[in-house]
Amino acid sequence: MNHLSRRDFLKGVAASGLVLSSINVHAKSYGVIERKETTELSGNVFHLTINKTLVNVTGSPSIATTVNGMLQGPTLRWREGDMVTIHVTNYLDEPSSIHWHGIILPYQMDGVPGISFDGIAPGETFTYTFKVQQSGTFWYHSHSGFQEQTGVYGAIVIEPKEKEPFTYDREYVVLLSDYSDEKPATIYRKLKIASDYYNFNQRTVGDFFAEVKEKGFWEAWQARKMWNQMRMSDRDLSDVTGYTYTFLMNGHSPSKPFQALYRAGERVRLRFINAAAMTFFDVRIPGLKMRVVAADGNNVQPVEVDEIRLGVAETYDVIVEPKNSQAYAIFAQAMDRSGYALGNLTTNPNIYAKVPKLDQPQPLTMADMGMGMHMADMKKMPMKHNKYALKKPVPITQLPMRWGVGTTMRAKNPQYRLDDPGVGLRNNGRRVLTYADLRSLRSTKDDKYPDREIILHLTGNMERYMWSINGIPYHEADPIRFRYGERVRITYINDTMMNHPMHLHGLWSDLETGDENHLVRKHTIISQPGSKISFRVTVDAKGAWAYHCHLLYHMKDMFRKVVVT
Amino acid sequence: MKNLFLQLLLFATLMSSTFAGSGGDILRATFTADSLEYQANFDERAIYWDTYGYIGYDINKLYFYSEGEKPHRESANSENQLLYSRAIAPFWDVQIGVGLDRANEKYKSWAVIALAGLAPYFFETRAALLVGGNGNIGLRIDLEYEALLTQKLILTPKVSSEAYTKNEPRMGYGAGLSNLTIGARLRYEIKREFAPYVGIEWSKNFGNTRKYSPFNELYLVGGVRFWF
């Protein structure tokens, strides 16, 4: 090294730099703007700008990317039946985009670079225009790079044409997100180098001895054996945690909670949206029952619960009726219990509710490893009465599958677990919403029976932090082809230890929750670890659509293009 | 040296374009000093390092390893390897490349093939087969386990051993089992990337190796583990 002249060194670096194209030259830069308070915009014409924005979420300043300078972006209020026109100008020095999550529209308006359009180049404006054909609670976010992590997201509220089947006196958007001062590329690189980097809830030697004390050495050893042989951790709940994240509710950190004011006797509608990059939230309002009236924007038969898990990108509308003039905490724990987002539902902004303690994290179970052993089996339910099986099987279209370096686990006996609230919420003494509780308000009795079925294995290697569908990452995969007019049944088998929120663009996912006549209509479906879940899709929109896991750091590879012809 | 460096750079460049990942498979480069420590007992003192680094993608990487010691008032001995590494199974990489040892101010080069990965029960494992120009064949095995006492206090027992088929007095290798080292280090991760530690280790030379270098010592170690 000491013999190497500086000039030669630089030549070498330049040569490698050219090939690696790590040198980025930007003609212009649009600067950094100040953060503004989040507001609501309504009408049919909208002007949005995407800017680098100076924020202070954690106590130290950082640069976010925002819509109209707001973290979160402005809430867009549309009316069902309207034509909306949205001009989006990109003032970042990299390409950007806005995707309207869960909105049914022509594919060219869907906002996914490389699939719907070319993206919005720096300094350019793209005009989205489409007819609003639905109502309810939705959201929007960037589909470029990791911009969703750094703030490009906001809520969409669509007022229905017809009267809603429920009433309320007041409403709030309650949008949950996760913010980090670390650059997303830094987070991702760390995960690639050490996938447990952010996990501070790993098994310790003490945990093992506690189990020995509880069950005896042999039992404890047997319980660990499978996990140890498979080199998997039952504490692997979230890839990115409160170690780096501050969890936000409507842009507010827990230190200065979001305030939702109400007057005594009012019914309050809360529009929960999980706009996080990587975080599942378990939401409850201690002291209040939540009446769930809509899931992913679609009305459901009302169901009263204490707690709801929101997978990334899911939305739920609930109505609460606070009886006393007091303050209630809107408490949204991260699934791994490494932190929470907080709101204060109160009659007086100076009165704050008592904040509950975080729950103890629960470990994953053998069921989460796809080894069966679910409650249903325990109860010795005869398999032939499985209400989740199709009455009359349909042909299965085989798709390419690759087991290899990128796949560590194979669910040997994946079960339908619609009534399983999921890890962390099991037997917690509260009434927790499960998918089995969801029944669409509209009848689906006359919906077309599926023509065929495809099975998608959600696959990965946590140790190497590789993710894929059917063992094949997006860039090596052929598109999934649907025929216009057909009805396809899609079954996920989750061959990983993670929950994956799967989002199919452009087409509704009618989830089989056990009642054939009331399939619930969703845009994002959680596939629980080691489980199986099925839904049906009426292929009623031509074009090219994105289809992916909505965990931001899984998305690039756990992704497919869907082509409808 | 200059040429070697430029060749390496060229190789890295070619590799990154030939085996370039796409999508989520990003190019990454990282360096880890698993150990950088001072070893001492009543008789001996030495500085010891055990480091590695790589540049590459999910499947294809270029790895280097460097392990060595500099005993007090003696020259440094080291074992260094540069290898192409390919993931062949979910938890295993095969590595092929060259090795260069330095001992008693002399050098010896090897062709190296190694298997590295995570064995069942979470044993960090690396077994390297070395083939010398003179027909000497060496085997070097490292086995390491991480026991979390708390989320940040981590005990790492480690076993390493070396064996050769031929005597090479000049390098200090003897035929048969040559060395066995058993140690345990207790580190505290101030950050994931930075952890000071203390530990204890016992190392013994066997067979002819013992004749060339009669080492049988128990010593304390203290140092830092870091990566970036």
Side-chain angles (χ1 to χ4, degrees):
Chain A
M1 185 71 193
N2 46 346
H3 301 297
L4 175 73
S5 79
R6 184 171 157 74
R7 222 171 117 214
D8 279 338
F9 179 75
L10 288 177
K11 258 196 278 177
V13 168
S16 68
L18 281 175
V19 182
L20 300 174
S21 57
S22 60
I23 299 170
N24 274 314
V25 183
H26 298 298
K28 33 181 166 170
S29 185
Y30 296 95
V32 176
I33 64 167
E34 292 282 327
R35 181 179 178 182
K36 297 183 193 71
E37 195 75 19
T38 300
T39 57
E40 184 177 287
L41 305 174
S42 58
N44 357 17
V45 180
F46 299 86
H47 293 271
L48 304 181
T49 63
I50 302 172
N51 295 83
K52 279 200 263 184
T53 308
L54 184 68
V55 300
N56 190 330
V57 173
T58 59
S60 47
S62 67
I63 303 291
T65 55
T66 70
V67 178
N68 291 10
M70 302 170 192
L71 182 70
Q72 66 222 43
T75 297
L76 306 182
R77 188 170 280 269
W78 301 342
R79 273 185 318 233
E80 185 180 1
D82 277 6
M83 280 297 293
V84 290
T85 303
I86 308 142
H87 306 284
V88 180
T89 306
N90 174 17
Y91 289 118
L92 306 178
D93 359 307
E94 58 181 30
S96 190
S97 59
I98 298 281
H99 161 63
W100 319 98
H101 189 109
I103 305 297
I104 297 300
L105 37 59
Y107 82 93
Q108 302 90 334
M109 297 291 127
D110 197 43
V112 181
I115 292 185
S116 341
F117 73 146
D118 294 333
I120 312 170
E124 306 251 293
T125 301
F126 184 85
T127 300
Y128 295 85
T129 174
F130 49 87
K131 191 176 178 192
V132 179
Q133 311 170 55
Q134 63 202 95
S135 65
T137 305
F138 298 90
W139 65 296
Y140 61 87
H141 60 85
S142 168
H143 227 289
S144 300
F146 294 131
Q147 290 162 17
E148 200 195 313
Q149 172 80 88
T150 50
V152 183
Y153 51 77
I156 299 171
V157 172
I158 311 175
E159 290 171 1
K161 240 193 225 162
E162 287 171 16
K163 204 173 158 292
E164 281 169 311
F166 45 83
T167 56
Y168 52 92
D169 305 300
R170 189 188 281 269
E171 63 171 298
Y172 288 102
V173 162
V174 183
L175 186 145
L176 306 166
S177 63
D178 46 21
Y179 190 85
S180 172
D181 285 344
E182 285 190 285
K183 286 200 178 87
T186 305
I187 294 175
Y188 189 59
R189 177 183 175 271
K190 284 179 177 175
L191 290 170
K192 280 285 188 187
I193 292 170
S195 63
D196 61 354
Y197 185 95
Y198 294 103
N199 185 354
F200 287 89
N201 174 41
Q202 301 189 42
R203 285 193 72 85
T204 62
V205 176
D207 292 334
F208 179 70
F209 285 116
E211 277 171 31
V212 170
K213 210 171 160 187
E214 193 189 310
K215 311 180 197 171
F217 181 82
W218 183 244
E219 284 274 316
W221 178 259
Q222 286 298 318
R224 301 308 333 137
K225 201 174 148 189
M226 183 81 82
W227 298 93
N228 288 336
Q229 284 178 345
M230 292 187 65
R231 289 147 282 184
M232 307 195 95
S233 164
D234 61 350
R235 307 295 184 88
D236 178 15
L237 302 174
S238 299
D239 300 349
V240 189
T241 68
Y243 179 72
T244 188
Y245 279 150
T246 301
F247 301 109
L248 305 183
M249 187 176 287
N250 288 340
H252 291 258
S253 63
S255 57
K256 197 174 170 292
F258 160 65
Q259 296 272 16
L261 293 174
Y262 75 95
R263 275 197 220 105
E266 280 183 329
R267 276 160 301 184
V268 185
R269 176 182 190 169
L270 301 174
R271 299 172 180 269
F272 287 113
I273 301 167
N274 185 348
M278 290 297 283
T279 309
F280 278 46
F281 287 102
D282 296 333
V283 181
R284 64 193 156 101
I285 307 174
L288 289 182
K289 286 271 177 200
M290 298 186 283
R291 189 159 82 251
V292 180
V293 294
D296 288 4
N298 295 297
N299 293 334
V300 295
Q301 298 181 17
V303 50
E304 286 219 333
V305 297
D306 299 319
E307 188 162 25
I308 304 172
R309 169 161 292 175
L310 280 98
V312 171
E314 286 189 306
T315 79
Y316 283 102
D317 288 51
V318 308
I319 292 172
V320 292
E321 298 184 38
K323 288 279 185 289
N324 314 314
S325 302
Q326 68 176 78
Y328 298 90
I330 307 172
F331 187 64
Q333 306 181 81
M335 179 171 61
D336 72 321
R337 311 299 180 231
S338 63
Y340 58 87
L342 184 66
N344 193 40
L345 179 65
T346 183
T347 50
N348 178 342
N350 297 318
I351 300 174
Y352 287 88
K354 187 169 172 282
V355 182
K357 275 207 189 93
L358 284 165
D359 290 345
Q360 280 299 313
Q362 287 175 359
L364 295 161
T365 65
M366 297 301 273
D368 295 310
M369 211 192 236
M371 311 298 280
M373 297 297 286
H374 181 50
M375 295 80 119
D377 297 328
M378 309 276 203
K379 285 184 216 146
K380 301 238 160 39
M381 241 171 66
M383 291 309 278
K384 59 187 164 190
H385 293 310
N386 191 340
K387 59 182 170 179
Y388 302 114
L390 269 190
K391 268 187 290 193
K392 187 169 57 116
V394 293
I396 294 174
T397 308
Q398 296 295 337
L399 297 175
M401 183 75 229
R402 189 197 296 163
W403 300 104
V405 170
T407 54
T408 35
M409 182 184 121
R410 223 174 144 163
K412 287 198 185 77
N413 185 17
Q415 298 291 317
Y416 284 105
R417 304 214 309 257
L418 280 294
D419 58 353
D420 176 4
V423 65
L425 297 177
R426 293 165 182 153
N427 309 312
N428 68 1
R430 301 189 285 265
R431 172 75 172 85
V432 183
L433 183 80
T434 68
Y435 278 171
D437 295 319
L438 295 176
R439 293 149 65 93
S440 116
L441 204 58
R442 78 186 176 98
S443 168
T444 56
K445 201 168 63 144
D446 299 326
D447 284 8
K448 194 180 173 192
Y449 197 77
D451 298 301
R452 63 183 178 115
E453 178 171 357
I454 60 171
I455 294 168
L456 297 177
H457 288 263
L458 310 180
T459 44
N461 181 334
M462 183 64 191
E463 186 68 19
R464 295 185 192 273
Y465 210 72
M466 293 167 73
W467 303 101
S468 54
I469 293 174
N470 282 2
I472 305 167
Y474 175 47
H475 65 275
E476 292 173 24
D478 290 330
I480 295 174
R481 296 187 181 278
F482 289 165
R483 283 185 306 278
Y484 183 78
E486 71 173 335
R487 185 147 163 98
V488 184
R489 184 187 202 229
I490 301 176
T491 296
Y492 296 135
I493 293 178
N494 187 336
D495 293 296
T496 77
M497 300 299 301
M498 313 289 308
N499 283 278
H500 298 287
M502 298 298 295
H503 173 43
L504 172 60
H505 290 222
L507 307 163
W508 284 116
S509 301
D510 297 336
L511 180 62
E512 297 176 8
T513 58
D515 183 347
E516 188 81 5
N517 298 333
H518 295 279
L519 301 183
V520 66
R521 182 151 270 194
K522 295 187 97 268
H523 48 63
T524 307
I525 290 173
I526 300 174
S527 163
Q528 291 196 39
S531 80
K532 190 161 137 181
I533 195 165
S534 300
F535 61 101
R536 302 175 195 177
V537 177
T538 298
V539 182
D540 54 4
K542 285 188 181 167
W545 301 102
Y547 186 12
H548 57 90
C549 174
H550 221 285
L551 296 177
L552 191 64
Y553 302 111
H554 293 188
M555 190 175 103
K556 283 210 166 99
D557 293 326
M558 201 179 254
F559 192 109
R560 284 293 184 273
K561 181 176 174 174
V562 169
V563 177
V564 178
T565 48
Chain B
M1 199 65 194
K2 175 173 119 189
N3 273 341
L4 179 67
F5 186 76
L6 286 178
Q7 272 169 17
L8 280 181
L9 207 58
L10 187 68
F11 182 63
T13 307
L14 277 177
M15 206 189 74
S16 60
S17 49
T18 312
F19 300 111
S22 306
D25 189 5
I26 51 160
L27 180 69
R28 70 214 78 143
T30 177
F31 170 84
T32 302
D34 210 17
S35 306
L36 181 60
E37 72 195 22
Y38 194 70
Q39 304 182 334
N41 62 12
F42 291 118
D43 310 320
E44 313 261 342
R45 273 174 291 164
I47 288 165
Y48 168 83
W49 71 92
D50 184 6
T51 63
Y52 64 88
Y54 67 77
I55 177 169
Y57 295 92
D58 288 343
I59 306 294
N60 299 291
K61 295 181 180 75
L62 182 69
Y63 257 94
F64 85 87
Y65 293 84
S66 176
E67 183 186 355
E69 57 176 353
K70 199 208 158 292
H72 190 57
R73 291 201 184 111
E74 285 176 46
S75 65
N77 297 338
S78 66
E79 298 173 352
N80 309 283
Q81 295 177 6
L82 183 69
L83 313 114
Y84 160 67
S85 178
R86 186 175 173 84
I88 53 147
F91 295 101
W92 295 100
D93 292 355
V94 158
Q95 306 179 322
I96 296 169
V98 293
L100 183 70
D101 292 356
R102 184 182 192 271
N104 312 322
E105 291 175 40
K106 299 193 175 57
Y107 291 90
K108 175 173 177 66
S109 56
W110 303 91
V112 182
I113 179 162
L115 186 69
L118 191 65
Y121 292 86
F122 297 98
F123 284 98
E124 226 21 277
T125 309
R126 187 162 187 271
L129 192 73
L130 301 97
V131 181
N134 59 346
N136 193 2
I137 295 173
L139 182 67
R140 294 174 186 168
I141 295 174
D142 294 293
L143 215 62
E144 198 178 296
Y145 185 80
E146 293 203 334
L148 274 66
L149 302 184
T150 73
Q151 297 300 322
K152 295 184 166 188
L153 190 64
I154 299 167
L155 181 70
T156 311
K158 187 176 162 182
V159 179
S160 322
S161 104
E162 300 190 0
Y164 301 91
T165 55
K166 285 191 175 173
N167 290 325
E168 281 191 70
R170 159 186 100 90
M171 298 298 291
Y173 315 137
L177 177 66
S178 154
N179 172 274
L180 181 68
T181 302
I182 299 173
R185 288 167 178 76
L186 181 66
R187 73 173 188 262
Y188 183 78
E189 290 191 343
I190 293 168
K191 284 177 65 172
R192 287 277 193 232
E193 291 93 335
F194 185 80
Y197 64 82
V198 291
I200 186 161
E201 197 162 78
W202 169 74
S203 184
K204 185 180 177 181
N205 288 345
F206 294 89
N208 287 339
T209 306
R210 199 174 173 186
K211 280 188 210 151
Y212 313 139
S213 168
F215 192 80
N216 182 4
E217 301 282 341
L218 182 71
Y219 44 88
L220 297 173
V221 308
V224 287
R225 179 185 191 274
F226 64 91
W227 59 273
F228 51 81

